[in-house]
Amino acid sequence: MNIRRHMLSTFAVVALVLVAASAAQAQATRTWVSGVGNDVDPCSRTAPCKTYAGALIKTAAGGEISTLDPGGFGAVNINKSIMIEGTKGQGYGSILASNTTGVTINDSLAATPNTAIVTLRNISINGAGSPTGSNGIRFIAGKAVHVEDCQIINFRTGNGRGISVELSANASQILTVKDTFIKECSGQGIRIANSAGAVNAFIDNSRIERCATGVLGAATSVTMIRNTTIGFNTSTGVRLENAASSINIENSFIQGHPADGIIATAGTVRLGRSTVVNNANGLDCAGGTIASYGDNALEGNGTLQTGCPTPLTPLLKK
């Protein structure tokens, strides 16, 4: 009887190993989606899936989901390292996110939280005027999120944000946004916050327009803005409101805001080789610090600066 029980136990272990191996083999390093695909398919190039969510299940951690043709591929919740490639020129993948968040990155329930590295490239995320004000991209937990050559548009009611960073773990997280256009959101174009530790954010060669605030440093963060246009948002261009945070702006253009071009209610904003023009207030040091490298241009603002130290004026005026 004991021999029989031992054999049965051995068979059970072997069966579990085989099942696990089979599940692992079922996940491909690269999968595909198509407007005419089906999520019951294996997500291969010749039998693609219909949605990014369907393909994610069949893609191994660290793999890539590619887009075969133009189409809407649905909102997706990401809990592991992955690249989603919209394949601009061949397809350009789209996510319609009315009443929901387009892409959520949250690996908090994974075996190793705050390790997922996610790249979103050549994707259009459209809120379609979402009445609940959800976000284009929401970064809750993970190691890094890279947004490259994307469009995030039409999150126009409620407190809809283009990109919302809502981290709560001190894990040296990173957000990078490059060659991306964010517009028409009722909240912030990009909101950056980590309630438990710093997050590093890099915004390069992008445009942020027609949101309430272009970029908000809300809680512990270090943000670099380079070669970027932030214009015609309905309140403020750049806002920093955390004493332990900083925003560094270089070679950028901030224009046309009915409140402030740049405001620091806490923390430090550093400004170099940039233009701040046609805002109600060019600079507003409302409890924080705005420091200049002396090579900026401030023109056509209703008020050049408010609450900033007097020695700052000759450094900023070309």
Side-chain angles (χ1 to χ4, degrees):
M1 182 65 71
N2 289 336
I3 294 175
R4 185 180 179 185
R5 287 178 178 171
H6 177 73
M7 291 178 65
L8 288 173
S9 298
T10 301
F11 288 145
V13 171
V14 171
L16 287 173
V17 171
L18 290 174
V19 169
S22 176
Q25 291 173 356
Q27 289 190 318
T29 303
R30 180 191 292 270
T31 57
W32 305 84
V33 296
S34 168
V36 294
N38 192 319
D39 282 350
V40 302
D41 288 338
C43 300
S44 64
R45 186 178 179 89
T46 54
C49 282
K50 175 70 173 176
T51 67
Y52 289 136
L56 181 70
I57 298 171
K58 299 176 184 179
T59 310
E64 178 176 334
I65 301 170
S66 295
T67 306
L68 281 171
D69 48 43
F73 301 104
V76 59
N77 296 323
I78 299 173
N79 59 2
K80 60 186 175 185
S81 293
I82 201 78
M83 174 187 286
I84 301 180
E85 169 61 73
T87 323
K88 187 176 180 180
Q90 181 178 353
Y92 210 84
S94 174
I95 295 173
L96 284 175
S98 181
N99 300 325
T100 190
T101 292
V103 180
T104 301
I105 298 97
N106 184 1
D107 71 350
S108 60
L109 298 180
T112 54
N114 294 300
T115 60
I117 299 174
V118 175
T119 298
L120 307 171
R121 182 181 295 162
N122 295 319
I123 299 172
S124 172
I125 305 174
N126 188 344
S130 176
T132 59
S134 297
N135 307 300
I137 299 170
R138 193 176 178 209
F139 183 13
I140 299 173
K143 183 67 175 179
V145 174
H146 306 293
V147 181
E148 303 173 5
D149 203 4
C150 291
Q151 295 185 53
I152 305 171
I153 59 176
N154 290 335
F155 293 89
R156 289 178 296 182
T157 55
N159 193 31
R161 298 174 181 133
I163 300 174
S164 183
V165 179
E166 306 170 25
L167 298 167
S168 58
N170 188 3
S172 302
Q173 292 101 325
I174 294 173
L175 169 73
T176 66
V177 181
K178 185 177 181 181
D179 301 323
T180 290
F181 189 11
I182 300 173
K183 66 177 181 178
E184 301 294 348
C185 46
S186 56
Q188 298 86 35
I190 302 176
R191 178 185 183 272
I192 305 160
N194 188 341
S195 62
V199 55
N200 294 311
F202 304 90
I203 304 167
D204 187 20
N205 198 37
S206 295
R207 289 171 58 191
I208 305 171
E209 300 174 1
R210 299 300 301 169
C211 297
T213 297
V215 176
L216 170 64
T220 319
S221 59
V222 177
T223 301
M224 179 71 197
I225 303 172
R226 296 179 66 250
N227 307 317
T228 291
T229 298
I230 301 173
F232 304 104
N233 296 287
T234 58
S235 178
T236 298
V238 176
R239 180 180 180 92
L240 180 64
E241 56 184 32
N242 180 268
S245 299
S246 63
I247 296 178
N248 306 291
I249 305 171
E250 179 181 304
N251 197 35
S252 293
F253 201 89
I254 300 168
Q255 176 181 5
H257 298 100
D260 302 293
I262 302 171
I263 180 171
T265 63
T268 299
V269 176
R270 300 178 185 90
L271 190 65
R273 292 187 300 167
S274 295
T275 298
V276 182
V277 62
N278 294 337
N279 306 281
N281 294 313
L283 309 177
D284 190 349
C285 302
T289 299
I290 300 177
S292 167
Y293 292 105
D295 53 0
N296 302 290
L298 270 76
E299 299 291 345
N301 299 289
T303 302
L304 179 65
Q305 63 187 52
T306 300
C308 298
T310 302
L312 196 63
T313 303
L315 294 178
L316 287 165
K317 184 78 171 179
K318 270 191 174 182

